[in-house]
Amino acid sequence: MTASSPFLLLSGGHLLVRADQMTALLRHVAAVWLQATDRGETDYDPATVLTLANGLMEVADQIDAECIALLPPKDVEPKAVEEDDAEDAEGAEGDAED
């Protein structure tokens, strides 16, 4: 039996997650916090929970907006990324962090 992972581990130890999965997770956590607070299942301050939940949803919205901005215009064919280009970009990310 094989199971696919929604994560991609890069050579430098960086972990990539699909943006739609990350935004769904952020929104789900925010919703669970709000529901638990509404039901009285926590001792947390409702105003604080609301502020934190709104923060998570704003991060999710920002990720969505940035991903949309990366999409090519509809009338332009996306450029295929060559394997060498992908390796160069990955190496450049590692160099920038050092």
Side-chain angles (χ1 to χ4, degrees), residues 24-82:
L25 175 63
L26 292 170
R27 289 185 177 104
H28 177 75
V29 169
V32 169
W33 286 353
L34 293 170
Q35 289 171 357
T37 302
D38 287 344
R39 293 180 187 145
E41 298 171 355
T42 69
D43 294 332
Y44 301 128
D45 175 55
T48 301
V49 172
L50 179 60
T51 300
L52 293 171
N54 283 337
L56 288 180
M57 290 185 280
E58 286 177 17
V59 170
D61 291 345
Q62 184 64 36
I63 291 170
D64 284 341
E66 289 179 16
C67 289
I68 291 168
L70 292 172
L71 292 174
K74 290 187 178 202
D75 58 343
V76 176
E77 289 292 322
K79 177 186 170 195
V81 176
E82 298 293 326

Side-chain angles (χ1 to χ4, degrees), residues 1-21:
M1 178 170 92
T2 59
S4 64
S5 172
F7 307 112
L8 178 62
L9 181 62
L10 300 178
S11 61
H14 297 273
L15 187 65
L16 298 180
V17 180
R18 285 182 28 182
D20 64 328
Q21 291 176 337

